[in-house]
Amino acid sequence: PLTATGSWGGTYFAHPFNNDNLNTNGGLSVNNSVKYSSVNYGGFTFGGTYGFSNQAGAFANNREYSVGAAYQYQGLRVGAAYAQQNNPGATNAAGVTNGGASDGVLANTSGVMTGRFRQREFGAGASYAFGPATVGVAWTQSRVDNLAGAAAGQR
């Protein structure tokens, strides 16, 4: 809700491939997961998710986890979040998706990955509403590590 994509701008203000998942219209959900959302503690809320791997002997393969927190007081809103996917869309020896946290590849890599592929998203934002106007700033970054055929790390 602190970005144009998440509020009034929609898809037109999303990054190409939506790899920071700000555009919830085109994002991927987390399968096989648990989620916690706190109650509101004087304007402060927090939460997290954990998507299980579901692959015997490869606990970290195709798992996901995320955490986030937000604070709101009168016109001030502040939020931050982190998410990580380990080898999303990974398949088993038979070439079938292992039913873990993600059925898709979040970095739009067409399934070409090494066994240690990892994608991480960071974000923070703040806004302040005064009268009929709201001003704000948001920062996000996506990092992709160990993508087959690419540089060691991409941002």
Side-chain angles (χ1 to χ4, degrees):
L2 296 175
T3 66
T5 304
S7 56
W8 55 269
T11 304
Y12 298 110
F13 286 84
H15 295 107
F17 307 121
N18 191 34
N19 58 346
D20 57 6
N21 211 27
L22 285 179
N23 180 11
T24 56
N25 292 329
L28 296 173
S29 62
V30 179
N31 301 323
N32 198 26
S33 62
V34 293
K35 177 180 178 180
Y36 175 78
S37 296
S38 75
V39 297
N40 189 325
Y41 296 102
F44 179 73
T45 57
F46 59 93
T49 62
Y50 186 87
F52 293 90
S53 163
N54 216 27
Q55 185 174 358
F59 181 73
N61 200 27
N62 196 3
R63 74 172 170 184
E64 183 274 350
Y65 52 90
S66 63
V67 294
Y71 178 74
Q72 182 173 356
Y73 179 73
Q74 296 179 351
L76 175 67
R77 295 178 81 177
V78 180
Y82 171 80
Q84 178 171 318
Q85 299 81 31
N86 293 339
N87 213 20
T91 57
N92 61 21
V96 178
T97 300
N98 69 17
S102 175
D103 288 336
V105 178
L106 302 177
N108 196 28
T109 58
S110 303
V112 181
M113 300 174 283
T114 68
R116 299 171 313 178
F117 176 79
R118 176 176 67 175
Q119 180 169 325
R120 297 174 287 168
E121 303 87 29
F122 310 81
S127 69
Y128 189 77
F130 51 96
T134 301
V135 296
V137 62
W139 170 84
T140 64
Q141 184 177 58
S142 296
R143 293 185 182 183
V144 177
D145 299 318
N146 303 313
L147 178 62
Q154 297 180 354
R155 294 180 183 191

